[in-house]
Amino acid sequence: MSNLFSGISGRFRGGGKNGGTKSPGPPNGAQPTSPTGTLQSSSSSTNLAPRMPPLPSSPSLSQTLSMDDSPGSLPSGDALSFYNLPRPKPIWLNDSYAKHIVKGNFMTLSARPKTVEQGEWIAHQVVEHYRNLWNFVRVIHDKDEDGTSICNSQTCPRMSAGANHSFTWLNARKEPVEVPAHEYISLMQRWISGKVDNTAIFPTDPAGVSFAYNTGNPDIASATYASGGLNTPGSNTPIPAGPTALTTSLSQLAGPGDWVGKSSGFPVDFVEVCQTIFRQMFRVYAHLYWAHFIDPFYHLSLEKPMNSCFSHFVLTATEIDMLKPHELEPMQPLIDLWAANGTFPKESKAYACANLKAGERLLSLAGVN
């Protein structure tokens, strides 16, 4: 993944409002207590939803966004009516704007090598996808000369993904509270960094961690290390080969009295922590699409890199059981579209989670036969 998208980081140089590359700092006095707040679905609080910027002065784009703006555009029984989508629909639900910078089968990037233990593979995916996501977050959190950022308390007063979904954070008393999106994302960043840097969760002692020894290319071997670092010392202890089927569940990989990652030194709650990390990253992606796809990502020609990273993220997260089908709901229409247009292979779990009729409906609205 890091090799395939190694050129993406360069696309961000000069991005954002002033071309900086600063990571968002945590809000004053805020503490990353817990990210396990609830998902709220509501279609009535539209006044709190993030405001979309004015449409770019592009005739083709305006026509695309208004392709279903007529009252009778969604007949009764339409496959998309279940989603209660806004009108016009988001631009990223048009196949023309859901393209990628790469072509090929993303399953090859999500498949675990036979010599890599499952816990090591999950840890590697956590770090790699977090790095990819943070490139996009930096764009919306980069501050202009006046001290404002694209994502702020005024534009995004709550962490939401459209008008139908919002997310809460748990405060110190374990109470779900709504916070502005930029604050939620900063708390999430601090929480994830704290987990990844915690050697009790992501062990970094080579004496207690086994990983594949690759004499031909040591960089590949070290890249599979739990912490995701590229300079991890080598080891001569091979990893026992486990089940190679991509559809093998985590419960099948771990036997009685065992757990995923145990042989590599990961704790018993390792998978649960990683699932929470993936869930938080998914929520951030959802906010980026619903609130910021046009401004700044489309305006900066970064929509294809983001599509590439997000589709790979969904494919990987579902394959290694980091996301459950119901957790995909905020971005379900895009998942449907990618299943229908062939982005997700038919043998993938992401494809199995999709509503093909809805995806085919989106393709037909975009004029794709």
Side-chain angles (χ1 to χ4, degrees):
M1 181 64 186
S2 58
N3 292 331
L4 182 62
F5 294 125
S6 60
I8 289 181
S9 297
R11 301 287 301 277
F12 292 93
R13 299 190 183 98
K17 298 183 70 175
N18 62 3
T21 57
K22 301 183 297 296
S23 296
N28 293 333
Q31 296 297 323
T33 51
S34 175
T36 54
T38 58
L39 163 65
Q40 298 178 344
S41 298
S42 172
S43 58
S44 59
S45 302
T46 54
N47 60 314
L48 293 178
R51 298 190 301 274
M52 289 299 292
L55 292 176
S57 55
S58 169
S60 60
L61 178 58
S62 300
Q63 292 169 6
T64 297
L65 287 175
S66 60
M67 65 182 178
D68 61 341
D69 205 25
S70 59
S73 59
L74 287 180
S76 177
D78 188 281
L80 297 175
S81 59
F82 173 79
Y83 296 128
N84 192 27
L85 293 171
R87 295 181 184 178
K89 290 183 178 62
I91 184 176
W92 40 269
L93 288 180
N94 185 298
D95 187 64
S96 298
Y97 300 95
K99 302 298 184 182
H100 297 67
I101 60 173
V102 293
K103 294 182 179 180
N105 190 339
F106 280 97
M107 290 287 285
T108 58
L109 297 175
S110 302
R112 175 175 61 89
K114 295 180 180 179
T115 55
V116 178
E117 188 268 331
Q118 180 75 359
E120 294 279 359
W121 185 241
I122 292 174
H124 173 66
Q125 295 301 324
V126 165
V127 174
E128 286 302 304
H129 285 288
Y130 179 58
R131 287 171 175 169
N132 289 332
L133 172 60
W134 208 249
N135 279 326
F136 300 104
V137 171
R138 289 189 305 177
V139 176
I140 64 168
H141 276 190
D142 186 30
K143 286 181 168 43
D144 203 349
E145 289 80 0
D146 60 1
T148 62
S149 59
I150 293 175
C151 185
N152 56 65
S153 299
Q154 286 69 45
T155 60
C156 305
R158 65 175 181 172
M159 182 64 177
S160 62
N164 299 328
H165 301 91
S166 65
F167 312 103
T168 58
W169 193 269
L170 295 183
N171 62 18
R173 295 185 297 274
K174 303 298 182 182
E175 300 168 339
V177 293
E178 282 193 345
V179 296
H182 74 95
E183 183 177 340
Y184 185 106
I185 294 173
S186 293
L187 290 168
M188 179 275 301
Q189 185 264 343
R190 291 182 60 193
W191 186 86
I192 293 179
S193 296
K195 296 299 182 183
V196 173
D197 293 339
N198 186 343
T199 57
I201 301 176
F202 286 76
T204 57
D205 182 5
V209 179
S210 62
F211 62 97
Y213 179 66
N214 188 324
T215 57
N217 192 341
D219 286 341
I220 294 178
S222 62
T224 63
Y225 194 70
S227 65
L230 296 178
N231 299 314
T232 303
S235 171
N236 292 321
T237 304
I239 295 176
T244 57
L246 289 175
T247 56
T248 304
S249 66
L250 294 179
S251 59
Q252 290 175 297
L253 289 171
D258 200 357
W259 62 84
V260 173
K262 181 179 181 180
S263 62
S264 295
F266 294 103
V268 65
D269 61 343
F270 170 71
V271 168
E272 181 180 353
V273 170
C274 291
Q275 288 173 332
T276 302
I277 292 175
F278 266 90
R279 185 162 58 248
Q280 291 302 315
M281 290 194 290
F282 177 85
R283 292 179 177 184
V284 174
Y285 267 121
H287 179 73
L288 296 183
Y289 271 90
W290 279 97
H292 302 292
F293 187 86
I294 294 178
D295 183 16
F297 299 110
Y298 174 79
H299 288 159
L300 295 176
S301 298
L302 291 173
E303 75 280 4
K304 287 184 179 179
M306 188 161 74
N307 288 337
S308 299
C309 288
F310 181 59
S311 62
H312 177 52
F313 171 85
V314 171
L315 192 61
T316 300
T318 52
E319 290 300 325
I320 60 178
D321 296 329
M322 291 294 105
L323 286 176
K324 299 178 175 61
H326 72 272
E327 294 171 331
L328 305 174
E329 182 180 340
M331 298 301 296
Q332 188 65 53
L334 182 58
I335 293 171
D336 299 341
L337 175 62
W338 280 337
N341 70 10
T343 298
F344 291 151
K346 292 183 178 180
E347 66 272 20
S348 68
K349 290 184 180 180
Y351 185 93
C353 293
N355 181 340
L356 286 182
K357 290 185 177 180
E360 292 167 354
R361 175 61 173 155
L362 287 169
L363 288 177
S364 67
L365 289 173
V368 179
N369 296 323

